[in-house]
């Protein structure tokens, strides 16, 4: 339909051009210019003639080894299955070009991004090809699409409030991936909590920030360095649970007792965090609900392409376990 409309011809004429039928040279030129303009694949072009859908939804994630993402993918798949739809997964193993080629070749009806960062090329390119995009768990400032996330600022604030109430005044924050909205927001909330406590009590709080990149190995090395300092922190806020696991293991390797000598707070509350051998104090995101809302927003967008973009922010919850104690 889009090709026919822009070329100023009937859908049947576009069909003849795509299938090698007889049309005038001028008509063929106009149709092929539109096809080239949007770099349509043949399957896309054919579906555009009848407004058909593939029933396939693309889901882009950053790292399947992070237990956060399988929880989200499973929840998305459950919602899609209930609607008679299928899921196509793209991971960061692929380049933006490869991911774009795969999603367009499969003819997805829309794409849910769970791990976009500010310089994310794939989301912009997918949307530029006329495919609906929803951002789930991450947001991009100034990107006019439907978005759903947890209240990450409050998550950081809850972590700060808990550690400050326990009396910690020498703390460190293991930060997430640069350019990720979750890292920026959780960091902002934690800093706000620290500043508010300083203003309220008049006590100075020493806060060190290190890069953990939402990666186990990076966070492990960063925490080992922190603990080797002459005045190491007595508490850590790790901006996701995977980095908190790294912190727990780094502390064990350094002979630092958790929580007697070091308190550790994570963020996400993936199922692994509740295991008895970990029992991580963390801030819970409604992981399954975020995934469900993301898919629902995409389905609503497919039903009403011209509706204004929506931005949903879901509440978080502090979960106290055994990795924190008074300073």
């Amino acid at each position: 339909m889009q090709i026919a409309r822009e070329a100023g011809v009937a859908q049947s004429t576009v069909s003849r051009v795509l299938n090698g039928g007889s049309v005038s040279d001028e008509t063929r030129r106009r149709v092929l210019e539109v096809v080239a303009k949007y770099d349509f694949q043949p399957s896309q072009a054919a579906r555009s003639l009848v407004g058909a859908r593939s029933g396939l939804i693309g889901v882009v994630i950053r790292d399947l080894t992070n237990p956060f993402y399988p929880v989200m993918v499973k929840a998305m798949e459950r919602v899609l299955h209930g609607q008679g739809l299928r899921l196509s997964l793209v991971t960061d193993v692929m380049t933006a070009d490869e991911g774009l080629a795969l999603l367009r070749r499969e003819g997805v009806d829309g794409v849910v991004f769970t791990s976009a960062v500010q310089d994310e090329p794939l989301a912009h390119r997918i949307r530029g090809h006329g495919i609906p995009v929803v951002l789930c768990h991450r947001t991009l400032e100034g990107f006019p699409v439907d978005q759903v996330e947890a209240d990450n600022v409050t998550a950081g604030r809850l972590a700060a409030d808990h550690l400050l109430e326990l009396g910690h005044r020498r703390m460190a924050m293991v930060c997430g991936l640069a350019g990720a909205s979750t890292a920026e927001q959780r960091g902002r909330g934690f800093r706000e909590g620290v500043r508010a406590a300083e203003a309220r009590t008049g006590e100075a709080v020493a806060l060190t920030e290190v890069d953990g990149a939402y990666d186990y190995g990076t966070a492990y090395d960063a925490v080992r360095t922190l603990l080797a300092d002459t005045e190491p922190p007595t508490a850590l806020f790790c901006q996701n649970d995977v980095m908190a696991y790294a912190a727990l293991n780094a502390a064990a390797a350094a002979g630092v007792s958790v929580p007697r000598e070091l308190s550790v707070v994570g963020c996400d509350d993936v199922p692994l965090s509740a295991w008895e051998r970990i029992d991580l104090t963390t801030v819970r995101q409604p992981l399954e609900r975020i995934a469900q809302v993301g898919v629902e927003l995409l389905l609503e967008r497919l039903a009403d392409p011209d509706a204004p973009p929506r931005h949903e922010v879901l509440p978080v919850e502090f979960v106290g376990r055994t990795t924190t104690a008074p300073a």
Side-chain angles (χ1 to χ4, degrees), residues 127-322:
R127 185 171 179 270
H129 282 279
I131 301 172
V133 168
V134 168
L135 301 183
C136 183
H137 168 56
R138 300 271 182 83
T139 60
L140 295 179
E141 189 174 345
F143 193 39
V145 300
D146 299 301
Q147 309 190 33
V148 56
E149 61 181 333
D151 187 351
N152 291 294
V153 175
T154 296
R157 186 68 181 259
L158 289 173
D161 290 348
H162 174 67
L163 293 174
L164 290 162
E165 287 170 4
L166 290 174
H168 294 281
R169 296 297 182 266
R170 197 166 67 245
M171 300 190 291
M173 179 163 58
V174 184
C175 301
L177 188 67
S181 60
T182 48
E184 187 279 324
Q185 293 164 351
R186 292 172 187 179
R188 177 167 22 116
F190 193 82
R191 293 183 206 101
E192 288 175 355
V194 169
R195 286 194 295 267
E198 288 179 322
R200 185 174 62 252
T201 66
E203 294 182 79
V205 177
L207 175 60
T208 302
E209 298 186 21
V210 296
D211 178 27
Y214 286 147
D215 175 71
Y216 179 94
T218 304
Y220 182 92
D221 292 341
V223 174
R224 285 299 302 266
T225 300
L226 284 171
L227 297 178
D229 194 79
T230 54
E231 288 194 334
T234 64
L236 298 177
F237 170 48
C238 301
Q239 290 184 356
N240 77 352
D241 284 357
V242 168
M243 296 193 299
Y245 305 154
L248 295 176
N249 285 337
V256 174
S257 172
V258 175
R260 185 171 59 84
E261 298 173 277
L262 179 70
S263 288
V264 178
V265 177
C267 192
D268 286 341
D269 196 32
V270 298
L272 188 64
S273 296
W275 290 11
E276 288 86 349
R277 292 285 289 179
I278 298 175
D279 208 33
L280 178 68
T281 296
T282 188
V283 181
R284 177 179 296 152
Q285 288 197 79
L287 304 182
E288 293 195 3
R289 185 58 188 154
I290 292 172
Q292 291 166 356
V293 172
V295 172
E296 289 166 1
L297 286 173
L298 182 57
L299 297 179
E300 291 172 13
R301 174 61 49 195
L302 291 170
D304 187 3
D306 298 323
R310 291 170 54 189
H311 186 176
E312 302 286 341
V313 180
L314 304 181
V316 295
E317 177 186 359
F318 179 78
V319 181
R321 296 194 180 104
T322 60

